[in-house]
Amino acid sequence: MLLDGDVWAAYFRDFRRSAWRLEVQPTYTMPAEAGSLARFLRGEPKPDDHNTKWHVTVQAASDAGKTFGRVRVVRQPLTDYQRYQFAWGIPGNIEAGEDIRVLDLTDRDPGLPDQDFWLFDETTVVHLNYRPDGTQINRELIESPDLGKYLGWRNVALENAVPFGEYRA
């Protein structure tokens, strides 16, 4: 089943304990970010309200005792988009309460998929499907997922990743 609009937004409102993402694309070509990415690449300062909507979502979940987390997979050299995320996106997300870790796969392969996905409450899996240029095709609810496989990938990613601040140091 493909997810969009209010149905998709409800997953971020209605999860009970945890929302976790494996983020593997080197670039995300997102129309909503095009302007801010261009400003970043021109060397302009980050706007004070950058990514505020996401920060409100994360903070509300944190205030309710829920957790947001992700592992961001990278390979050297970082893409322009990854540099943008690291400078403008991730620090504010962490301040809002999201646990973000980085897994550098430049010289190793722990056996993770090349598939972005969200894992909600360790029971619900949603694939984020992309074209090679990073444009999102769709969001797909996986019916009857092999949860052991997804939990295993999450655990491998977490075991091999480092906290964002440690990676940046």
Side-chain angles (χ1 to χ4, degrees):
M1 177 169 114
L2 300 182
L3 303 173
D4 207 358
D6 290 337
V7 173
W8 174 234
Y11 281 83
F12 296 95
R13 249 191 348 263
D14 298 342
F15 72 92
R16 294 181 310 276
R17 294 177 311 281
S18 64
W20 185 86
R21 180 176 176 178
L22 180 65
E23 196 170 51
V24 301
Q25 304 305 310
T27 298
Y28 295 95
T29 306
M30 302 179 62
E33 291 183 335
S36 61
L37 175 59
R39 286 190 295 279
F40 168 79
L41 293 173
R42 288 192 301 265
E44 295 178 16
K46 179 177 82 170
D48 291 337
D49 64 347
H50 180 76
N51 215 16
T52 300
K53 185 176 178 183
W54 181 249
H55 299 161
V56 168
T57 299
V58 171
Q59 186 64 56
S62 181
D63 290 348
K66 303 175 188 181
T67 63
F68 268 104
R70 75 179 73 205
V71 168
R72 178 64 173 113
V73 171
V74 298
R75 289 177 179 81
Q76 295 296 327
L78 296 179
T79 65
D80 286 344
Y81 185 84
Q82 290 166 336
R83 291 187 310 101
Y84 160 72
Q85 276 189 318
F86 282 25
W88 282 25
I90 292 174
N93 294 359
I94 291 171
E95 287 175 24
E98 189 172 359
D99 176 24
I100 301 179
R101 297 165 185 265
V102 178
L103 175 52
D104 192 326
L105 296 183
T106 302
D107 297 318
R108 59 186 170 143
D109 178 4
L112 293 172
D114 288 332
Q115 173 70 56
D116 280 50
F117 65 87
W118 277 99
L119 179 61
F120 295 96
D121 294 324
E122 299 184 339
T123 61
T124 303
V125 175
V126 177
H127 280 189
L128 305 172
N129 299 311
Y130 293 91
R131 292 187 180 95
D133 73 350
T135 302
Q136 190 173 77
I137 299 167
N138 58 36
R139 293 171 293 267
E140 176 185 8
L141 177 66
I142 303 303
E143 304 287 341
S144 303
D146 178 349
L147 289 173
K149 179 172 67 173
Y150 289 94
L151 292 168
W153 285 333
R154 181 205 56 195
N155 294 345
V156 166
L158 289 170
E159 288 165 7
N160 287 278
V162 296
F164 176 73
E166 183 178 324
Y167 183 78
R168 291 290 299 224

